[in-house]
Amino acid sequence: LRETLQLGDEARTPLPREPLRDFFRRTRDTWMRQAFENRESDERLSGKEVRRLGFRAAEARFRELYPVLQELDELEEEQRLAEEMQEQEKQRIKDKLREKAKKRKAQLVKMAKKEKKDREKKEKKKKAAAGGSDDEDSEDED
């Protein structure tokens, strides 16, 4: 579509949301040259007539492209919004995963501490049991 309508030619294509007056002001030389080149070979035109014909050519191009450019602008805006929303969703998912990982890590740390505490209790019981039997053995020996 861009190629068909020659939208890449900035001297012949309005910018998004550019009013006709600004479009002509920006591209005046192109349209005046075109009007001059399209005149009858023996026809003499005043500067005012060349400007008027140039403006008419610019206006025709503007009217031809304006609806298409508006539609393209709207589609690009929708695309930008969709990409922005997609990026926000990706960030939300990443944040959620980070939070889950953080909670899981906290759970694992808590479980590791509990296991360590349980092991220490068992070791104390073993030592107490072994220490108690050592004490009994030493009393028997006396």
Side-chain angles (χ1 to χ4, degrees), residues 69-140:
L69 292 174
Q70 267 189 314
E71 183 69 24
L72 281 173
D73 190 43
E74 289 172 11
L75 290 171
E76 287 172 354
E77 180 67 14
E78 286 175 18
Q79 179 67 28
R80 186 190 65 74
L81 289 173
E83 288 171 0
E84 190 176 291
M85 287 175 61
Q86 188 177 23
E87 188 59 37
Q88 288 175 351
E89 181 65 14
K90 280 170 60 175
Q91 189 61 45
R92 188 183 69 74
I93 290 170
K94 282 181 184 178
D95 292 345
K96 202 173 195 179
L97 288 173
R98 273 192 211 106
E99 188 61 34
K100 281 184 177 182
K102 191 176 177 181
K103 286 179 181 178
R104 182 67 180 146
K105 185 177 179 181
Q107 286 175 334
L108 291 172
V109 167
K110 189 175 180 180
M111 287 172 52
K113 285 180 180 180
K114 187 175 185 304
E115 287 174 6
K116 183 179 177 186
K117 195 174 185 180
D118 290 345
R119 273 194 314 271
E120 289 173 352
K121 280 183 181 179
K122 284 181 183 178
E123 286 178 21
K124 280 185 180 181
K125 283 182 181 180
K126 280 183 185 178
K127 284 184 182 180
S133 62
D134 285 346
D135 287 343
E136 290 174 12
D137 290 341
S138 59
E139 286 178 12
D140 291 339

Side-chain angles (χ1 to χ4, degrees), residues 4-63:
T4 305
L5 296 173
Q6 299 173 345
L7 298 181
D9 183 0
E10 290 185 11
R12 296 180 41 80
T13 305
L15 299 173
R17 299 182 187 102
E18 182 177 36
L20 173 59
R21 168 185 252 151
D22 295 344
F23 170 58
F24 180 69
R25 192 174 292 139
R26 180 175 60 81
T27 60
R28 174 185 2 227
D29 293 342
T30 301
W31 301 111
M32 289 175 63
R33 188 177 329 104
Q34 179 181 323
F36 187 77
E37 290 170 357
N38 290 341
R39 78 188 194 302
E40 299 292 323
S41 60
D42 61 343
E43 184 181 14
R44 295 189 49 82
L45 297 172
S46 69
K48 188 175 185 176
E49 291 171 317
V50 171
R51 271 193 307 280
R52 187 171 24 84
L53 292 172
F55 182 80
R56 285 186 186 157
E59 183 178 30
R61 175 75 173 167
F62 183 88
R63 302 253 181 258

